[in-house]
Amino acid sequence: MTCMKQEENGRLGLSTRAIHAGWEPDAETHAVKRPLVMANSYELPPSVDWETVPFVYARDLNPNGRWLEELLAALEGSEDCIATASGVSAINGTFFALLSSGDHLIASQIAYVSVRTMLLEHFPRRFGIATSLVDTTDPEAVRRTLTPQTKLIHLETPGNPTTAISDIAAIAPIAHSAGALLSVDSTWSGLLTQHPLLLGADIVFHSLSKYINGHGDALGGAILGAKALLDPIRKFAVKDMGSCISPFNAWQIMRGSATLPLRMPRHCQNALRVAEFLETHPKVAWVRYPGLKSHPQHALASRQMDGFSGMLNFDIRDPRQRPELLRRLKLFTHATSLGHDESLIMVYDDFSGNEFFRVSVGLEDADDLVEDLEQALVLM
Ligand SMILES: *Cc1c(COP(=O)(O)O)cnc(C)c1O
């Protein structure tokens, strides 16, 4: 597996970008790390040029948020970035900024639960925005769902919670030939294993709360793409709706991001090891991990991604024993969220009532993770 090779397009490598983009010694104190700037407002010159003044009020833009935006734009290879309070505020704020009543949106049916709720309930019932949630692992299903009102196609790949992979490069021309934009929630890729803009997407979303911060101790979201597309989204979602990132969360996430290129290959390696172990275990009914040949979209994932990230699904042969497995595990914490340093496990369903374990494989020693699963499975 070639996990996260450096791109050969004249830019600095990903590790170098993670450590240098957005980072500068502090001009006033010469501290080698960016300071945490908690001020709400910024002193203005007597006559203000609102187009060029860098900071006015911390909800519109704050220094720590901006430095994080520069770092993330450099990593994703996008012209600009908007940092927001959470992944959900990035996605739903963008939908609200781009769509009006009468418009139509197509989205992956396997999508983050709060995004689904917005698309299935609030948009159609309260705001007059028509939505179609379809199986986007089939590009033809997307094409068939287009209407003259379709303004946006939103993919989540890999999809939460099932690891479903959608073909970004195949769906981008379907969106563009219909005059629609293509957005991709790339959270599960951990940014480094997938670059949707290079595959034709217009907008990329990340929950920074996951792999990018990586330590399970901050919330944030990011919207990435061309500046002309992002400027009105920033005005609407951040300034007018108030989805700004707090300086402290931005500072914390920027600190975490510096080691993302070290962490992601380890998540990939550990997850493959755990998936391969589970796949051979007699008490395990099935395993779903994009890096396994048995995954329904393994060939597509191999083509589209550079590493398969750290998320997998499995189930045991006797589902009544799920609580017992959770009770026996010592290293996998029974909790939601993902992309943390520690491994996490929880029971999810695929929105059709099929339940299974969703595992976020952490950065522990793979041998220890396998041994922990082995001792927990032994009596199932
Ligand atoms: C967690 C997650 C989100 C939401 O992010 P928050 O930062 O928790 O708001 C969105 N999309 C995916 C795929 C996620 O896993």
Side-chain angles (χ1 to χ4, degrees):
M1 181 177 58
T2 65
C3 210
M4 277 81 63
K5 56 186 173 291
Q6 313 276 309
E7 284 161 53
E8 303 284 355
N9 59 2
R11 287 184 307 203
L12 295 167
L14 288 166
S15 298
T16 309
R17 280 181 258 164
I19 292 169
H20 289 276
W23 295 100
E24 288 287 346
D26 181 42
E28 188 176 340
T29 63
H30 304 281
V32 297
K33 289 294 167 192
R34 292 290 200 188
L36 172 57
V37 184
M38 292 299 287
N40 281 5
S41 60
Y42 292 82
E43 191 184 20
L44 299 168
S47 74
V48 187
D49 174 0
W50 297 107
E51 294 301 310
T52 59
V53 65
F55 303 109
V56 177
Y57 187 59
R59 191 189 64 241
D60 307 346
L61 192 65
N62 60 72
N64 291 102
R66 188 57 198 162
W67 297 325
L68 175 63
E69 289 172 358
E70 287 169 13
L71 170 57
L72 295 174
L75 284 180
E76 192 67 272
S78 66
E79 190 186 356
D80 203 2
C81 172
I82 304 170
T84 63
S86 65
V88 162
S89 69
I91 299 165
N92 288 337
T94 298
F95 292 170
F96 272 113
L98 294 178
L99 301 170
S100 302
S101 61
D103 289 343
H104 175 236
L105 174 150
I106 300 171
S108 300
Q109 77 190 10
I110 300 297
Y112 190 72
V113 61
S114 301
V115 173
R116 273 177 63 89
T117 305
M118 192 63 79
L119 296 181
L120 289 171
E121 293 175 22
H122 300 291
F123 274 14
R125 294 191 196 152
R126 298 177 50 221
F127 301 106
I129 298 166
T131 58
S132 305
L133 273 70
V134 303
D135 176 7
T136 55
T137 65
D138 174 10
E140 288 313 309
V142 176
R143 194 195 302 279
R144 281 196 303 273
T145 314
L146 287 167
T147 76
Q149 284 71 43
T150 307
K151 290 278 160 37
L152 182 67
I153 296 175
H154 174 72
L155 306 178
E156 185 173 303
T157 183
N160 183 356
T162 67
T163 77
I165 309 286
S166 298
D167 190 336
I168 300 167
I171 296 172
I174 295 174
H176 295 152
S177 65
L181 294 169
L182 178 65
S183 65
V184 176
D185 181 344
S186 196
T187 297
W188 274 34
S189 75
L191 196 154
L192 301 182
T193 69
Q194 179 170 282
H195 293 284
L197 297 174
L198 294 176
L199 300 170
D202 302 288
I203 297 172
V204 178
F205 299 117
H206 287 284
S207 166
L208 307 179
S209 324
K210 312 294 174 53
Y211 289 105
I212 293 174
N213 178 56
H215 297 79
D217 52 10
L219 288 176
I223 310 163
L224 298 119
K227 187 173 184 311
L229 186 55
L230 263 51
D231 278 347
I233 299 173
R234 186 190 291 281
K235 166 98 177 48
F236 183 91
V238 178
K239 188 171 181 174
D240 296 339
M241 292 287 284
S243 311
C244 56
I245 193 164
S246 83
F248 181 75
N249 277 340
W251 179 84
Q252 183 89 327
I253 292 164
M254 194 153 169
R255 186 182 195 273
S257 305
T259 54
L260 183 64
L262 281 174
R263 291 185 281 107
M264 278 318 292
R266 179 68 168 257
H267 281 295
C268 296
Q269 288 153 14
N270 281 3
L272 183 63
R273 184 68 203 291
V274 166
E276 284 174 346
F277 164 75
L278 289 170
E279 201 167 44
T280 59
H281 199 284
K283 303 275 172 62
V284 172
W286 56 267
V287 186
R288 200 160 45 211
Y289 177 62
L292 292 178
K293 289 200 176 63
S294 56
H295 189 280
Q297 293 101 31
H298 173 68
L300 169 59
S302 306
R303 208 160 63 233
Q304 173 163 286
M305 301 180 73
D306 191 9
F308 303 102
S309 200
M311 298 302 300
L312 61 87
N313 303 153
F314 75 98
D315 204 5
I316 48 177
R317 290 197 188 280
D318 180 0
R320 289 167 306 180
Q321 298 271 35
R322 288 186 195 127
E324 185 58 18
L325 182 72
L326 293 172
R327 200 181 60 74
R328 287 166 192 270
L329 285 169
K330 299 186 173 94
L331 297 178
F332 292 79
T333 304
H334 181 207
T336 190
S337 198
L338 60 108
H340 296 190
D341 44 359
E342 79 274 21
S343 293
L344 303 169
I345 185 168
M346 213 166 112
V347 175
Y348 281 76
D349 80 78
D350 63 359
F351 310 114
S352 310
N354 304 308
E355 290 191 319
F356 49 83
F357 288 111
R358 191 194 80 173
V359 184
S360 170
V361 181
L363 301 173
E364 299 92 337
D365 291 287
D367 284 347
D368 293 335
L369 295 177
V370 166
E371 227 169 82
D372 192 32
L373 285 161
E374 191 147 45
Q375 65 79 25
L377 283 164
V378 85
L379 292 172
M380 289 294 113

